[in-house]
Amino acid sequence: EYVGEPFKVCFKPFGKIGIKGVFNVSPSFGIGPFLQATRYSSYKDEYEWYDEWLEVTETFKVKHKNPWEINLGIGLQGKIGEAIIYGGPVAYWTESKVDWTWTVGPITESGSLTFEEKNKVGGFVGVRLPLTKELSFEVEGQLKSRFSMGGALTYAF
């Protein structure tokens, strides 16, 4: 029998700051460095359930503290029509500390883990398509310890 929900979904704010530059080698090709830093909100949650076999309530608590990420790289970009195709290498550092507590009846165990990426170097590739003068759509893939992909709709004002 479940007493609580397993790890609730929640929306937490985060902040990202960065700087980049593009040096146009030609009208259709550019190269430039970038630096980007992200700080995520801390997160805590708990999950409680009744273990019928042991006839006790079990509780698992987790605290995800001070996650952060830094990316540094060089981007190459080319224009094909109005579309911009870009990619390049990236070095990155990320870390997050997780404290946990597991209680089974009167017994409590606890510990701490630090999560980091396995690799410190990866790559990225993407395409940015202007839809109007102010609106553009972008899709990007990144290969760090694993492959990830995302998209963005951007409004410039």
Side-chain angles (χ1 to χ4, degrees):
E1 174 185 337
Y2 295 104
V3 180
E5 289 184 25
F7 301 117
K8 298 178 276 311
V9 173
C10 68
F11 298 98
K12 296 273 196 172
F14 69 95
K16 185 176 289 241
I17 190 167
I19 187 168
K20 69 176 182 174
V22 176
F23 304 103
N24 292 319
V25 177
S26 74
S28 61
F29 180 74
I31 184 170
F34 66 88
L35 173 65
Q36 186 174 312
T38 308
R39 176 66 185 258
Y40 301 97
S41 293
S42 294
Y43 171 82
K44 66 180 180 176
D45 203 352
E46 87 177 53
Y47 180 53
E48 185 177 279
W49 68 97
Y50 183 75
D51 188 325
E52 293 180 13
W53 189 72
L54 294 175
E55 297 181 345
V56 295
T57 298
E58 294 187 43
T59 305
F60 188 76
K61 296 179 183 179
V62 65
K63 291 180 185 176
H64 193 161
K65 299 189 309 187
N66 304 320
W68 58 268
E69 175 181 32
I70 295 173
N71 292 283
L72 172 67
I74 300 238
L76 306 170
Q77 70 178 34
K79 271 184 115 174
I80 299 177
E82 292 298 312
I84 296 174
I85 298 171
Y86 62 90
V90 63
Y92 54 92
W93 300 267
T94 183
E95 185 176 289
S96 179
K97 184 176 179 187
V98 176
D99 292 329
W100 58 270
T101 304
W102 184 19
T103 303
V104 181
I107 301 168
T108 299
E109 290 284 331
S110 62
S112 183
L113 302 165
T114 299
F115 291 95
E116 297 178 347
E117 290 275 358
K118 289 180 183 177
N119 304 317
K120 301 287 188 226
V121 177
F124 64 98
V125 64
V127 63
R128 185 178 311 119
L129 302 168
L131 303 174
T132 67
K133 186 177 177 182
E134 297 86 15
L135 192 66
S136 65
F137 176 70
E138 189 167 346
V139 176
E140 182 176 303
Q142 296 182 1
L143 180 60
K144 293 182 176 177
S145 294
R146 292 182 174 199
F147 180 76
S148 65
M149 191 170 180
L153 192 59
T154 305
Y155 179 75
F157 51 93

